[in-house]
């Protein structure tokens, strides 16, 4: 997700279409891995460690990433203002998901 944002930034600076194509492919790859993370969060929720916040973050991340992929499927000139902003929002959501996933809720490192 971060690499798609950086590709959008590069495209906004020099308008070479290769950066828009890179961002589109990186969004598709990010959707695959976000889907795997969503499946992992569902399995974790039903097995041992329920973290309901993860079931809110991952679906929102995947839906925003899917909308971002649809925006990036447009023409290179048509995706630019909203595509870069949406890539930035998806990157923030992904960073939040990683931060919550690696944090521990409790005292002394115990859950």
């Amino acid at each position: 997700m971060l690499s798609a944002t950086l590709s959008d930034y590069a495209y906004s600076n020099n308008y070479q279409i290769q950066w828009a194509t890179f961002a589109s492919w990186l969004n598709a790859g990010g959707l695959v891995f976000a889907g795997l993370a969503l499946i992992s969060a569902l399995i974790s929720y039903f097995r041992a460690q329920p973290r309901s916040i993860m079931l809110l973050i991952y679906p929102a991340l995947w839906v925003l990433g899917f909308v971002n992929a649809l925006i990036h499927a447009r023409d290179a000139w048509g995706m630019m203002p909203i595509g870069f902003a949406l890539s930035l929002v998806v990157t923030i959501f992904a960073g939040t998901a990683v931060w919550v996933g690696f944090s521990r809720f409790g005292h002394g490192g115990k859950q």
Side-chain angles (χ1 to χ4, degrees):
M1 303 290 180
L2 176 63
S3 55
T5 304
L6 293 175
S7 293
D8 282 336
Y9 178 72
Y11 178 69
S12 70
N13 281 337
N14 61 14
Y15 298 111
Q16 290 184 5
I17 295 176
Q18 71 180 9
W19 293 110
T21 306
F22 289 160
S24 296
W25 281 103
L26 290 168
N27 279 329
L31 276 176
V32 169
F33 286 107
L36 292 174
L38 177 61
I39 291 169
S40 174
L42 284 172
I43 291 170
S44 175
Y45 180 78
F46 288 117
R47 285 191 72 200
Q49 304 170 358
R51 287 188 184 176
S52 60
I53 188 118
M54 296 304 281
L55 289 180
L56 296 174
I57 293 174
Y58 281 129
L61 172 68
W62 198 88
V63 167
L64 282 174
F66 183 72
V67 170
N68 193 16
L70 291 177
I71 297 280
H72 278 82
R74 294 184 193 172
D75 187 13
W77 289 97
M79 68 158 211
M80 197 48 231
I82 192 80
F84 181 52
L86 201 52
S87 290
L88 199 58
V89 169
V90 169
T91 300
I92 291 170
F93 263 84
T96 303
V98 168
W99 177 64
V100 169
F102 282 119
S103 67
R104 295 196 179 253
F105 302 115
H107 298 295
K110 297 179 183 175
Q111 292 186 353

